[in-house]
Amino acid sequence: MMLELLWPFVAVLAATYVILFGFLKKINEWYYVSKLGKKQHPLPPGDMGWPFIGNLWSFLRAFKSQDPDSFIHNLIKRHGPTSIYKTHLFGSPSVIVCCPELCRKVLTDDEHFSLGYPSSAIKLGGKKSLHGVQSSEHRRLRRLISDSINGHQALALYIDHIEDIVIPSLEELSTMNRPIKFFTEIKRLGLKVIAQVLFGSIEDSVLSSMVKCYTELFPGVFSMPINVPGFTFHRALKARKKLVKMIGDEVDERRAKASVLADRKKGMMDLLMEVENDKGE
């Protein structure tokens, strides 16, 4: 008797869930599409997801899985192989393109397209970072720094730093008599290389602290920008604050002891500190 009463209740509950949330999705899509007003061309297929969060949860779930392309594959399965879809990610209505021709058009057409990043990436990178500035300012900063960090002299420095980290780390891993998580170890190794290339000679304790902070910061780039304790973005902001202080302290120390530290290995930061603008400053 109890089972006979339970099944109709579960069915009604499931139907209510589907109808309610399906209705919310429709309302959400109507809201964003109606804001566009009269359109010259129809929008591509797709959906705007849930109110406020859009399709971010399904995107992050795919991104963190063993098959990150599953998000795109799901769009193709649901809406057909059109190579262009509407969606809602990182707090903004978005259009996804996923074929080489369209991607090339977006990335090379500066007249109709400009750089844009999730607000979480902008806040964590900083308003003055290369992905935080636009047009002429972006080109000016890129011109100032690109030669100093990409030239033959710089690349020769980086090779030494990479060898100093990679060779001992791989030798240490090879001597372990227990299984290791390859991806985790290689990611940790990559972060050490980045820090070493950036700073050159640096104390091991500082290097380890920076790697730890960057490990906490990176997941925040692909997260909802919710600055509340317990959320990924909040932890990333705290890690960024620590990183900024450590980097600032390192820059101040190198400026104060430039002559004393002349013999140590240089890194990208040393090359950047030597860059001069058009006025020789």
Side-chain angles (χ1 to χ4, degrees), residues 58-59 61-74:
S58 56
F59 173 83
R61 187 168 59 249
F63 181 79
K64 296 176 181 178
S65 72
Q66 299 296 319
D67 183 20
D69 289 337
S70 60
F71 183 78
I72 299 296
H73 295 159
N74 188 45

Side-chain angles (χ1 to χ4, degrees), residues 184-223:
T184 301
E185 295 298 334
I186 292 300
K187 182 170 66 173
R188 185 179 293 116
L189 176 60
L191 292 175
K192 286 183 179 180
V193 168
I194 291 171
Q196 186 82 359
V197 166
L198 178 60
F199 293 101
S201 297
I202 190 171
E203 294 182 9
D204 290 340
S205 59
V206 178
L207 179 64
S208 299
S209 297
M210 288 184 172
V211 169
K212 182 177 183 298
C213 287
Y214 186 80
T215 303
E216 295 175 352
L217 182 146
F218 182 73
V221 175
F222 298 100
S223 68

Side-chain angles (χ1 to χ4, degrees), residues 8 57 67 71 75-76 85 107 135 144 152 170 180 205 219 223 231 234 249 255 279:
W57 279 350
D67 183 20
F71 183 78
L75 288 174
I76 296 172
Y85 308 93
L107 294 172
S135 304
L144 283 173
H152 292 298
L170 292 180
I180 63 170
S205 59
S223 68
F231 283 85
H234 178 77
D249 291 344
R255 283 175 174 161
K279 299 178 181 178

Side-chain angles (χ1 to χ4, degrees), residues 122-140:
I122 297 294
K123 291 176 182 177
L124 290 172
K127 293 181 179 179
K128 291 296 184 179
S129 63
L130 279 176
H131 66 246
V133 295
Q134 299 287 332
S135 304
S136 60
E137 180 67 6
H138 183 274
R139 288 192 293 270
R140 185 183 75 85

Side-chain angles (χ1 to χ4, degrees), residues 9 17 29 39 43 66 77 95 100 106 108 143 151 160 164 197 234 244 257 261 271:
F9 175 76
Y17 176 86
E29 181 153 346
K39 301 180 294 295
L43 293 174
Q66 299 296 319
K77 183 178 179 181
V95 171
V106 171
T108 59
R143 185 179 66 254
D160 287 340
D164 289 345
V197 166
H234 178 77
V244 169
K257 301 179 180 179
L261 302 175
L271 300 179

Side-chain angles (χ1 to χ4, degrees), residues 72-121:
I72 299 296
H73 295 159
N74 188 45
L75 288 174
I76 296 172
K77 183 178 179 181
R78 291 171 57 198
H79 305 290
T82 61
S83 299
I84 181 169
Y85 308 93
K86 68 175 182 285
T87 185
H88 190 288
L89 295 171
F90 298 103
S92 301
S94 308
V95 171
I96 290 180
V97 295
C98 50
C99 74
E101 294 77 15
L102 285 175
C103 290
R104 190 178 300 111
K105 171 68 175 176
V106 171
L107 294 172
T108 59
D109 188 351
D110 293 336
E111 181 181 352
H112 297 97
F113 297 97
S114 60
L115 290 172
Y117 293 89
S119 59
S120 54

Side-chain angles (χ1 to χ4, degrees), residues 43-60:
L43 293 174
D47 71 84
M48 308 305 289
W50 307 107
F52 304 111
I53 63 173
N55 292 303
L56 184 59
W57 279 350
S58 56
F59 173 83
L60 292 178

